Amino acid sequence: MTDDVRLRAVEEADLELFFAHEHDPETVRRSKFPPRERERFMTHWRTRVLGDPTNLTRTVTVNGETAGNVVAWWEGDRRFIGYVFGRPFWGRGVGTAALTLFLELEQVRPLYADPYKGNTGSVRLLEKCGFWSSGTIMHDENEHIMFVLDRMM
């Protein structure tokens, strides 16, 4: 059986699961992104993510079950993407399918992503979706790879 990966609008109820995904110890270890405390997380999502009309946000579902999210936002003059998936969905091609669908919706190019260098799953996902490495940057003491997608798929 092949997983049925789809994107839909983010719903308020999704935020609880997104919060849990951000706090998964393995997600924290792989991303080198410190999880936010609950109130800060919810405020960030409600005001800065969902509350900004220039962002593109989607919930990822797999066979009808919420699996994670993909977001595009502006940081200065650069458009970035980020994603978080629940651990049960890792290694199944869900990220590739979801990001491929998302890139059909997100029309801005170039598009940037900067995963932690040691997050081999995220690095490979971006490469599969046509992103290329333009060098490295530091976030605190952690080295991240700056990826760029400069044309439509």
Side-chain angles (χ1 to χ4, degrees):
M1 182 175 115
T2 302
D3 287 322
D4 180 25
V5 178
R6 296 179 187 233
L7 303 179
R8 65 164 170 76
V10 174
E11 299 169 358
E12 179 73 20
D14 296 331
L15 299 185
E16 289 296 330
L17 190 56
F18 296 170
F19 177 76
H21 291 165
E22 183 172 292
H23 280 257
D24 179 289
E26 189 61 15
T27 297
V28 173
R29 186 188 74 74
R30 289 179 183 214
S31 69
K32 298 296 185 203
F33 183 84
R36 300 172 186 96
E37 58 87 16
R38 180 181 201 63
E39 186 65 29
R40 190 165 163 243
F41 176 90
M42 295 299 177
T43 299
H44 173 78
W45 263 89
R46 289 178 182 131
T47 60
R48 301 223 25 227
V49 180
L50 298 174
D52 184 341
T54 67
N55 293 343
L56 178 61
T57 61
R58 290 295 183 265
T59 293
V60 177
T61 65
V62 177
N63 304 323
E65 181 181 355
T66 300
N69 66 77
V70 185
V71 179
W73 70 94
W74 287 103
E75 206 169 291
D77 62 348
R78 288 184 169 184
R79 184 81 163 166
F80 277 83
I81 62 156
Y83 40 81
V84 179
F85 301 101
R87 199 184 317 190
F89 302 97
W90 296 358
R92 295 170 43 185
V94 170
T96 303
L99 192 53
T100 300
L101 291 170
F102 189 82
L103 293 173
E104 291 173 7
L105 298 174
E106 175 56 58
Q107 300 293 303
V108 174
R109 301 294 185 270
L111 193 57
Y112 298 86
D114 60 348
Y116 170 61
K117 181 179 178 179
N119 188 343
T120 55
S122 189
V123 167
R124 184 69 189 115
L125 169 59
L126 291 164
E127 291 171 341
K128 282 185 199 176
C129 289
F131 285 76
W132 56 273
S133 171
S134 67
T136 61
I137 60 169
M138 297 298 290
H139 289 296
D140 299 321
E141 69 278 357
N142 300 306
E143 188 174 8
H144 290 244
I145 302 171
M146 183 61 73
F147 279 96
V148 181
L149 179 68
D150 50 10
R151 63 186 182 342
M152 296 300 288
M153 299 286 298

mmCIF file of all heavy atoms in Angstrom, residues 101-131:
data_model
loop_
_atom_site.group_PDB
_atom_site.id
_atom_site.type_symbol
_atom_site.label_atom_id
_atom_site.label_comp_id
_atom_site.label_asym_id
_atom_site.label_seq_id
_atom_site.Cartn_x
_atom_site.Cartn_y
_atom_site.Cartn_z
ATOM 1 N N LEU A 101 4.632 18.422 -3.324
ATOM 2 C CA LEU A 101 3.317 19.066 -3.438
ATOM 3 C C LEU A 101 3.390 20.542 -3.035
ATOM 4 O O LEU A 101 2.812 21.409 -3.691
ATOM 5 C CB LEU A 101 2.291 18.349 -2.552
ATOM 6 C CG LEU A 101 1.876 16.950 -2.983
ATOM 7 C CD1 LEU A 101 1.053 16.284 -1.884
ATOM 8 C CD2 LEU A 101 1.095 17.001 -4.288
ATOM 9 N N PHE A 102 4.107 20.811 -1.957
ATOM 10 C CA PHE A 102 4.216 22.187 -1.461
ATOM 11 C C PHE A 102 4.907 23.084 -2.489
ATOM 12 O O PHE A 102 4.501 24.231 -2.687
ATOM 13 C CB PHE A 102 4.975 22.203 -0.137
ATOM 14 C CG PHE A 102 4.959 23.527 0.558
ATOM 15 C CD1 PHE A 102 3.874 23.910 1.334
ATOM 16 C CD2 PHE A 102 6.027 24.400 0.446
ATOM 17 C CE1 PHE A 102 3.851 25.136 1.985
ATOM 18 C CE2 PHE A 102 6.017 25.622 1.087
ATOM 19 C CZ PHE A 102 4.927 25.992 1.865
ATOM 20 N N LEU A 103 5.941 22.575 -3.143
ATOM 21 C CA LEU A 103 6.682 23.372 -4.115
ATOM 22 C C LEU A 103 5.862 23.684 -5.364
ATOM 23 O O LEU A 103 6.189 24.617 -6.101
ATOM 24 C CB LEU A 103 8.000 22.683 -4.486
ATOM 25 C CG LEU A 103 9.019 22.615 -3.345
ATOM 26 C CD1 LEU A 103 10.214 21.765 -3.761
ATOM 27 C CD2 LEU A 103 9.446 24.004 -2.894
ATOM 28 N N GLU A 104 4.795 22.937 -5.590
ATOM 29 C CA GLU A 104 3.866 23.278 -6.671
ATOM 30 C C GLU A 104 3.023 24.493 -6.283
ATOM 31 O O GLU A 104 2.638 25.282 -7.139
ATOM 32 C CB GLU A 104 2.953 22.092 -6.984
ATOM 33 C CG GLU A 104 3.679 20.930 -7.616
ATOM 34 C CD GLU A 104 2.804 19.696 -7.769
ATOM 35 O OE1 GLU A 104 1.577 19.775 -7.504
ATOM 36 O OE2 GLU A 104 3.350 18.643 -8.149
ATOM 37 N N LEU A 105 2.744 24.650 -4.989
ATOM 38 C CA LEU A 105 1.965 25.791 -4.499
ATOM 39 C C LEU A 105 2.827 27.040 -4.309
ATOM 40 O O LEU A 105 2.395 28.147 -4.607
ATOM 41 C CB LEU A 105 1.313 25.447 -3.148
ATOM 42 C CG LEU A 105 0.322 24.306 -3.118
ATOM 43 C CD1 LEU A 105 -0.099 24.029 -1.685
ATOM 44 C CD2 LEU A 105 -0.887 24.638 -3.980
ATOM 45 N N GLU A 106 4.018 26.849 -3.764
ATOM 46 C CA GLU A 106 4.924 27.968 -3.467
ATOM 47 C C GLU A 106 5.670 28.339 -4.746
ATOM 48 O O GLU A 106 6.511 27.575 -5.230
ATOM 49 C CB GLU A 106 5.914 27.562 -2.367
ATOM 50 C CG GLU A 106 6.963 28.609 -2.069
ATOM 51 C CD GLU A 106 6.381 29.959 -1.706
ATOM 52 O OE1 GLU A 106 5.611 30.054 -0.735
ATOM 53 O OE2 GLU A 106 6.703 30.940 -2.414
ATOM 54 N N GLN A 107 5.350 29.514 -5.267
ATOM 55 C CA GLN A 107 5.871 29.925 -6.568
ATOM 56 C C GLN A 107 7.134 30.785 -6.502
ATOM 57 O O GLN A 107 7.763 31.033 -7.530
ATOM 58 C CB GLN A 107 4.782 30.709 -7.323
ATOM 59 C CG GLN A 107 3.521 29.900 -7.574
ATOM 60 C CD GLN A 107 3.761 28.761 -8.551
ATOM 61 O OE1 GLN A 107 4.204 28.983 -9.666
ATOM 62 N NE2 GLN A 107 3.482 27.546 -8.122
ATOM 63 N N VAL A 108 7.514 31.273 -5.339
ATOM 64 C CA VAL A 108 8.666 32.168 -5.223
ATOM 65 C C VAL A 108 9.962 31.386 -5.446
ATOM 66 O O VAL A 108 10.162 30.310 -4.893
ATOM 67 C CB VAL A 108 8.694 32.863 -3.839
ATOM 68 C CG1 VAL A 108 9.970 33.680 -3.664
ATOM 69 C CG2 VAL A 108 7.465 33.736 -3.652
ATOM 70 N N ARG A 109 10.820 31.954 -6.259
ATOM 71 C CA ARG A 109 12.172 31.447 -6.463
ATOM 72 C C ARG A 109 13.090 32.654 -6.517
ATOM 73 O O ARG A 109 12.697 33.667 -7.066
ATOM 74 C CB ARG A 109 12.299 30.627 -7.756
ATOM 75 C CG ARG A 109 11.389 29.412 -7.846
ATOM 76 C CD ARG A 109 11.729 28.337 -6.832
ATOM 77 N NE ARG A 109 10.927 27.141 -7.015
ATOM 78 C CZ ARG A 109 9.749 26.899 -6.438
ATOM 79 N NH1 ARG A 109 9.204 27.792 -5.629
ATOM 80 N NH2 ARG A 109 9.095 25.768 -6.659
ATOM 81 N N PRO A 110 14.253 32.620 -5.964
ATOM 82 C CA PRO A 110 14.800 31.475 -5.263
ATOM 83 C C PRO A 110 14.102 31.250 -3.923
ATOM 84 O O PRO A 110 13.513 32.162 -3.341
ATOM 85 C CB PRO A 110 16.272 31.836 -5.059
ATOM 86 C CG PRO A 110 16.314 33.323 -5.087
ATOM 87 C CD PRO A 110 15.192 33.750 -5.992
ATOM 88 N N LEU A 111 14.229 30.014 -3.448
ATOM 89 C CA LEU A 111 13.659 29.582 -2.180
ATOM 90 C C LEU A 111 14.802 28.978 -1.376
ATOM 91 O O LEU A 111 15.647 28.272 -1.933
ATOM 92 C CB LEU A 111 12.574 28.548 -2.466
ATOM 93 C CG LEU A 111 11.618 28.143 -1.392
ATOM 94 C CD1 LEU A 111 10.861 29.335 -0.818
ATOM 95 C CD2 LEU A 111 10.630 27.114 -1.930
ATOM 96 N N TYR A 112 14.840 29.264 -0.083
ATOM 97 C CA TYR A 112 15.963 28.871 0.765
ATOM 98 C C TYR A 112 15.520 27.942 1.890
ATOM 99 O O TYR A 112 14.380 27.991 2.342
ATOM 100 C CB TYR A 112 16.613 30.111 1.387
ATOM 101 C CG TYR A 112 17.187 31.053 0.375
ATOM 102 C CD1 TYR A 112 16.391 32.024 -0.227
ATOM 103 C CD2 TYR A 112 18.519 30.964 -0.011
ATOM 104 C CE1 TYR A 112 16.917 32.886 -1.181
ATOM 105 C CE2 TYR A 112 19.051 31.823 -0.960
ATOM 106 C CZ TYR A 112 18.241 32.781 -1.539
ATOM 107 O OH TYR A 112 18.758 33.631 -2.486
ATOM 108 N N ALA A 113 16.465 27.124 2.358
ATOM 109 C CA ALA A 113 16.285 26.284 3.536
ATOM 110 C C ALA A 113 17.657 26.117 4.171
ATOM 111 O O ALA A 113 18.671 26.084 3.461
ATOM 112 C CB ALA A 113 15.702 24.928 3.168
ATOM 113 N N ASP A 114 17.710 26.028 5.496
ATOM 114 C CA ASP A 114 19.011 25.936 6.156
ATOM 115 C C ASP A 114 19.025 24.896 7.282
ATOM 116 O O ASP A 114 19.144 25.223 8.448
ATOM 117 C CB ASP A 114 19.470 27.304 6.666
ATOM 118 C CG ASP A 114 18.523 27.930 7.671
ATOM 119 O OD1 ASP A 114 17.394 27.432 7.834
ATOM 120 O OD2 ASP A 114 18.930 28.914 8.316
ATOM 121 N N PRO A 115 18.955 23.608 6.915
ATOM 122 C CA PRO A 115 18.967 22.561 7.932
ATOM 123 C C PRO A 115 20.335 22.419 8.603
ATOM 124 O O PRO A 115 21.368 22.770 8.018
ATOM 125 C CB PRO A 115 18.626 21.303 7.145
ATOM 126 C CG PRO A 115 19.207 21.564 5.792
ATOM 127 C CD PRO A 115 18.959 23.043 5.562
ATOM 128 N N TYR A 116 20.309 21.878 9.807
ATOM 129 C CA TYR A 116 21.545 21.532 10.508
ATOM 130 C C TYR A 116 22.330 20.534 9.659
ATOM 131 O O TYR A 116 21.763 19.598 9.083
ATOM 132 C CB TYR A 116 21.201 20.945 11.883
ATOM 133 C CG TYR A 116 22.367 20.329 12.597
ATOM 134 C CD1 TYR A 116 23.480 21.098 12.932
ATOM 135 C CD2 TYR A 116 22.365 18.984 12.925
ATOM 136 C CE1 TYR A 116 24.561 20.532 13.572
ATOM 137 C CE2 TYR A 116 23.434 18.410 13.580
ATOM 138 C CZ TYR A 116 24.543 19.188 13.894
ATOM 139 O OH TYR A 116 25.614 18.624 14.536
ATOM 140 N N LYS A 117 23.624 20.760 9.580
ATOM 141 C CA LYS A 117 24.509 19.949 8.741
ATOM 142 C C LYS A 117 24.386 18.447 9.036
ATOM 143 O O LYS A 117 24.444 17.622 8.135
ATOM 144 C CB LYS A 117 25.950 20.409 8.946
ATOM 145 C CG LYS A 117 26.971 19.691 8.134
ATOM 146 C CD LYS A 117 28.351 20.249 8.414
ATOM 147 C CE LYS A 117 29.405 19.485 7.638
ATOM 148 N NZ LYS A 117 30.735 20.040 7.891
ATOM 149 N N GLY A 118 24.196 18.093 10.286
ATOM 150 C CA GLY A 118 24.118 16.692 10.673
ATOM 151 C C GLY A 118 22.750 16.056 10.491
ATOM 152 O O GLY A 118 22.577 14.866 10.755
ATOM 153 N N ASN A 119 21.773 16.824 10.026
ATOM 154 C CA ASN A 119 20.434 16.283 9.816
ATOM 155 C C ASN A 119 20.376 15.682 8.410
ATOM 156 O O ASN A 119 19.852 16.276 7.474
ATOM 157 C CB ASN A 119 19.377 17.372 10.003
ATOM 158 C CG ASN A 119 17.970 16.836 9.997
ATOM 159 O OD1 ASN A 119 17.714 15.727 9.557
ATOM 160 N ND2 ASN A 119 17.046 17.644 10.476
ATOM 161 N N THR A 120 20.911 14.492 8.273
ATOM 162 C CA THR A 120 21.069 13.888 6.946
ATOM 163 C C THR A 120 19.728 13.648 6.254
ATOM 164 O O THR A 120 19.649 13.746 5.030
ATOM 165 C CB THR A 120 21.864 12.569 7.031
ATOM 166 O OG1 THR A 120 21.221 11.696 7.961
ATOM 167 C CG2 THR A 120 23.299 12.828 7.470
ATOM 168 N N GLY A 121 18.675 13.357 7.018
ATOM 169 C CA GLY A 121 17.362 13.163 6.403
ATOM 170 C C GLY A 121 16.854 14.422 5.744
ATOM 171 O O GLY A 121 16.350 14.400 4.618
ATOM 172 N N SER A 122 16.996 15.557 6.429
ATOM 173 C CA SER A 122 16.539 16.831 5.878
ATOM 174 C C SER A 122 17.409 17.255 4.697
ATOM 175 O O SER A 122 16.903 17.746 3.679
ATOM 176 C CB SER A 122 16.540 17.900 6.967
ATOM 177 O OG SER A 122 15.906 19.067 6.518
ATOM 178 N N VAL A 123 18.701 17.057 4.823
ATOM 179 C CA VAL A 123 19.618 17.396 3.727
ATOM 180 C C VAL A 123 19.252 16.599 2.483
ATOM 181 O O VAL A 123 19.130 17.149 1.378
ATOM 182 C CB VAL A 123 21.083 17.145 4.150
ATOM 183 C CG1 VAL A 123 22.025 17.179 2.953
ATOM 184 C CG2 VAL A 123 21.506 18.160 5.215
ATOM 185 N N ARG A 124 19.034 15.314 2.652
ATOM 186 C CA ARG A 124 18.695 14.455 1.510
ATOM 187 C C ARG A 124 17.341 14.835 0.904
ATOM 188 O O ARG A 124 17.178 14.842 -0.319
ATOM 189 C CB ARG A 124 18.694 12.986 1.952
ATOM 190 C CG ARG A 124 18.447 12.020 0.828
ATOM 191 C CD ARG A 124 19.633 11.975 -0.144
ATOM 192 N NE ARG A 124 19.255 11.191 -1.311
ATOM 193 C CZ ARG A 124 19.147 11.661 -2.546
ATOM 194 N NH1 ARG A 124 19.420 12.913 -2.804
ATOM 195 N NH2 ARG A 124 18.785 10.878 -3.533
ATOM 196 N N LEU A 125 16.378 15.161 1.748
ATOM 197 C CA LEU A 125 15.059 15.589 1.277
ATOM 198 C C LEU A 125 15.184 16.803 0.369
ATOM 199 O O LEU A 125 14.621 16.835 -0.734
ATOM 200 C CB LEU A 125 14.155 15.904 2.460
ATOM 201 C CG LEU A 125 12.835 16.620 2.160
ATOM 202 C CD1 LEU A 125 11.975 15.821 1.207
ATOM 203 C CD2 LEU A 125 12.099 16.910 3.454
ATOM 204 N N LEU A 126 15.928 17.798 0.803
ATOM 205 C CA LEU A 126 16.087 19.013 -0.004
ATOM 206 C C LEU A 126 16.792 18.709 -1.328
ATOM 207 O O LEU A 126 16.392 19.213 -2.382
ATOM 208 C CB LEU A 126 16.835 20.082 0.794
ATOM 209 C CG LEU A 126 16.038 20.645 1.971
ATOM 210 C CD1 LEU A 126 16.949 21.392 2.929
ATOM 211 C CD2 LEU A 126 14.901 21.527 1.490
ATOM 212 N N GLU A 127 17.817 17.876 -1.280
ATOM 213 C CA GLU A 127 18.513 17.510 -2.511
ATOM 214 C C GLU A 127 17.575 16.784 -3.480
ATOM 215 O O GLU A 127 17.583 17.065 -4.685
ATOM 216 C CB GLU A 127 19.722 16.632 -2.186
ATOM 217 C CG GLU A 127 20.825 17.384 -1.482
ATOM 218 C CD GLU A 127 21.939 16.491 -0.965
ATOM 219 O OE1 GLU A 127 21.742 15.264 -0.822
ATOM 220 O OE2 GLU A 127 23.026 17.034 -0.675
ATOM 221 N N LYS A 128 16.752 15.861 -2.973
ATOM 222 C CA LYS A 128 15.799 15.142 -3.829
ATOM 223 C C LYS A 128 14.826 16.090 -4.509
ATOM 224 O O LYS A 128 14.359 15.817 -5.614
ATOM 225 C CB LYS A 128 14.987 14.145 -3.003
ATOM 226 C CG LYS A 128 15.684 12.881 -2.655
ATOM 227 C CD LYS A 128 14.676 11.979 -1.949
ATOM 228 C CE LYS A 128 15.301 10.900 -1.162
ATOM 229 N NZ LYS A 128 14.290 10.114 -0.437
ATOM 230 N N CYS A 129 14.525 17.202 -3.824
ATOM 231 C CA CYS A 129 13.538 18.154 -4.352
ATOM 232 C C CYS A 129 14.176 19.270 -5.172
ATOM 233 O O CYS A 129 13.516 20.258 -5.496
ATOM 234 C CB CYS A 129 12.701 18.711 -3.211
ATOM 235 S SG CYS A 129 11.572 17.477 -2.530
ATOM 236 N N GLY A 130 15.447 19.124 -5.527
ATOM 237 C CA GLY A 130 16.093 20.057 -6.442
ATOM 238 C C GLY A 130 16.866 21.196 -5.808
ATOM 239 O O GLY A 130 17.396 22.055 -6.531
ATOM 240 N N PHE A 131 16.973 21.254 -4.497
ATOM 241 C CA PHE A 131 17.761 22.291 -3.832
ATOM 242 C C PHE A 131 19.244 21.943 -3.958
ATOM 243 O O PHE A 131 19.619 20.771 -3.997
ATOM 244 C CB PHE A 131 17.404 22.372 -2.344
ATOM 245 C CG PHE A 131 16.088 23.018 -2.037
ATOM 246 C CD1 PHE A 131 14.895 22.336 -2.235
ATOM 247 C CD2 PHE A 131 16.034 24.311 -1.520
ATOM 248 C CE1 PHE A 131 13.675 22.921 -1.934
ATOM 249 C CE2 PHE A 131 14.820 24.904 -1.216
ATOM 250 C CZ PHE A 131 13.635 24.208 -1.418
#
